[in-house]
Amino acid sequence: MVGLILALDVMDEKKAFEIAEKTAEWINLIKVNYPLVLSAGVDVIKKLSKFKKVIADFKISDIPYTSSLISRMAFENGAFAVICHGFAGSDTLRAVKDVAGEYGGEVYVVTELSSPGGVEFLQKVSNSIAVLAKDIGCDGIIAPATRPERVRELREIVGDLKVICPGVGVQGGRIEDIKELVDYIIVGRSIYLAKDPKKEAKKIYELLK
Ligand code: BMP
């Protein structure tokens, strides 16, 4: 079955806990990004980990040294995985992977963004990024639910690496178009902006069966 990752891009810690608690039964993992970490502090990762394991989506894309410091912050504070940008290159990916290895953590690599701008630059190199992620031994890639044909091609490249797809719901991606190709989907606004986040998470969970 495809897993459901809740993207908790809210700015208020209390609200984040509320939604995590309400939806915990129907989600597999939580993903935090800058909006929550910058407003609540990096220890929010540890606090949320009591509900589900947390992926730190810092889209790491700096020089290797700085990237390794960012990765260490994520893992020291309880993350089980980090997300980095593949365009930063093999040295950065290796640096992030080395740090992850010290913590038994995982590394996921963005290929092309799910937003329209993802085709402007990233799409031209996203197949090569997927090859790199596989060669370096990362745990998986982030691929765009908004472009199922690209998810198919990227899946073929990475084989049994995990494929995680954001872009379902508000961005226009549809579960039925990618379900057979992916390991996890990431859903944010459709759940945390819903009147009843628990009901919405359950609805999405059922669609993933
Ligand atoms: P939403 O379901 O509200 O569109 O949120 C999607 C989440 O996935 C956001 O946290 C966003 O940063 C992330 N994301 C994305 O939407 N597209 C990508 O290509 C990569 C991402 O990490």
Side-chain angles (χ1 to χ4, degrees):
M1 185 180 157
V2 177
L4 175 56
I5 302 175
L6 170 65
L8 256 181
D9 295 328
V10 295
M11 313 281 271
D12 176 46
E13 191 180 40
K14 202 166 147 256
K15 180 109 189 129
F17 292 139
E18 235 177 76
I19 294 165
E21 187 165 24
K22 279 186 185 150
T23 57
E25 190 183 344
W26 305 108
I27 61 173
N28 301 93
L29 301 168
I30 293 172
K31 181 179 83 68
V32 297
N33 196 332
Y34 292 110
L36 182 58
V37 169
L38 292 179
S39 51
V42 70
D43 61 339
V44 75
I45 298 175
K46 207 166 268 157
K47 295 183 192 163
L48 284 169
S49 298
K50 75 172 189 199
F51 299 108
K52 293 286 161 182
K53 289 199 290 184
V54 175
I55 304 178
D57 179 8
F58 293 158
K59 300 222 170 53
I60 303 165
S61 54
D62 216 309
I63 59 168
Y65 179 70
T66 312
S67 296
S68 67
L69 295 180
I70 298 168
S71 309
R72 197 169 294 285
M73 282 297 285
F75 290 118
E76 278 291 325
N77 282 282
F80 97 96
V82 294
I83 294 178
C84 58
H85 261 301
F87 68 71
S90 55
D91 53 353
T92 287
L93 284 196
R94 277 198 192 92
V96 172
K97 193 170 174 300
D98 285 349
V99 174
E102 289 178 37
Y103 294 86
E106 299 185 358
V107 178
Y108 293 91
V109 181
V110 178
T111 53
E112 60 187 68
L113 289 172
S114 56
S115 43
V119 304
E120 289 175 15
F121 299 106
L122 281 177
Q123 195 175 82
K124 296 175 180 64
V125 293
S126 59
N127 287 2
S128 308
I129 289 173
V131 171
L132 183 64
K134 192 166 169 66
D135 285 352
I136 288 182
C138 295
D139 297 276
I141 57 163
I142 311 291
T146 47
R147 294 188 284 280
E149 73 290 354
R150 293 293 302 133
V151 177
R152 185 173 298 280
E153 200 171 336
L154 290 161
R155 162 59 84 195
E156 275 166 22
I157 293 170
V158 299
D160 58 1
L161 251 55
K162 285 182 211 141
V163 174
I164 299 183
C165 270
V168 168
V170 175
Q171 295 182 50
R174 301 186 319 166
I175 289 171
E176 60 267 35
D177 294 338
I178 52 162
K179 194 173 154 178
E180 309 304 325
L181 300 167
V182 308
D183 298 280
Y184 291 93
I185 62 163
I186 295 173
V187 182
R189 286 165 287 180
S190 298
I191 294 175
Y192 67 74
L193 295 181
K195 235 193 205 131
D196 186 341
K198 180 176 180 172
K199 204 168 142 195
E200 188 62 26
K202 179 172 191 285
K203 196 178 101 190
I204 294 170
Y205 176 90
E206 300 291 345
L207 289 171
L208 292 171
K209 273 186 190 164

